Amino acid sequence: MTTDQVAEPFSRGLRMAIEDGHARAQGSVFVEALVEGRLNLAGYTALASQHYFIYTALEAAGEAMAEHPVAGRFVVDGLRRVPALADDLAELIGPDWRDRVEQRPSTAAYVARLTEVAAVSPTAFVAHHYTRYLGDIAGGQVVRAQLRSQHGFTDAGARFYDFSAIAPVPTFRKRYRELLDTAPWSAAERAEVIAEAGTAFDHNVAVLTDLAADLPTFRAA
Ligand code: HEM
């Protein structure tokens, strides 16, 4: 698809552009095992641990972008996931979780990319912001329901998926799409957002593939 073929409004064009990446992430072996209740707690803990490293980098980039006239509009306090992940990991791993949490090589590569581009490029920042937060707000709710029914987590352990601070979610999503649609980006800048969102999806798929290699250890009893 060339830049002038991106569907309008931009939020729709972006959504269409990520369809393939989304199908790969949602249909990955690890995500399927997770939502079908075939993962034990160690499996979920491994995923939450990767989220911790990814969101630490994303939210550091958010702080760097907070004053930017366009990208800064996307930075919302209620979205912050690092405090929730810290609570979840303390519950899942224990009070010494900071010494025990393990970062996968695929996560280190994702974090390196995020750190390299998202703190300096507003379009790259929005691409990474969109890929993670909108995904966790939508598909994350399926994971949240699974954690509740399979492991009984209603609070600490599954706080990562609690987006009540930005409720009501449909209003938040509508507002987010408006931000995408009204950002004063040129066609080239819109293409940059789309391309970087594709890169973000590739990194997410790589992390999920990395985790899937340990599925035999993560199999629920
Ligand atoms: C449990 C697996 C998943 C399920 C069930 C799922 C489901 C969904 C659904 C139903 C939507 C549409 C929400 C709406 O239209 O309001 C959505 C949107 C989205 N998902 Fe996922 N998803 C999953 C995994 C992921 C993953 C792993 C990522 C990337 C890390 C991701 C990124 C996104 C993004 C960026 C959107 C926003 C699309 C847009 O509205 O512009 N999803 N997801």
Side-chain angles (χ1 to χ4, degrees), residues 5 10 17 47 66 68-69 72 88 93 107 113 116 118 147 154 163 171 179 200-201 209-210:
Q5 281 174 319
F10 179 57
L47 179 65
H68 186 275
D88 289 351
I93 299 177
T107 304
R113 175 71 186 180
E116 184 193 334
L147 290 175
T154 50
F163 282 97
T171 309
L179 286 180
F201 269 95
T209 306
D210 193 340

Side-chain angles (χ1 to χ4, degrees), residues 11-12 14-16 18 21-22 25-28 31 34-35 110 130-136 138-140 142-143 173 177 180 200-201 204 208:
S11 57
R12 184 158 168 266
L14 177 57
R15 189 179 182 165
M16 287 168 69
I18 58 128
H22 190 268
Q26 185 176 350
S28 68
V31 168
L34 173 64
V35 299
Y110 187 174
Y130 165 82
T131 303
R132 285 296 343 176
Y133 290 110
L134 258 64
D136 293 316
V142 177
V143 179
R173 261 207 297 258
R177 294 211 165 96
L180 288 170
F201 269 95
N204 278 287
L208 294 166

Side-chain angles (χ1 to χ4, degrees), residues 154-169:
T154 50
D155 193 15
R159 274 203 188 127
F160 175 65
Y161 297 105
D162 177 358
F163 282 97
S164 51
I166 51 110
V169 165

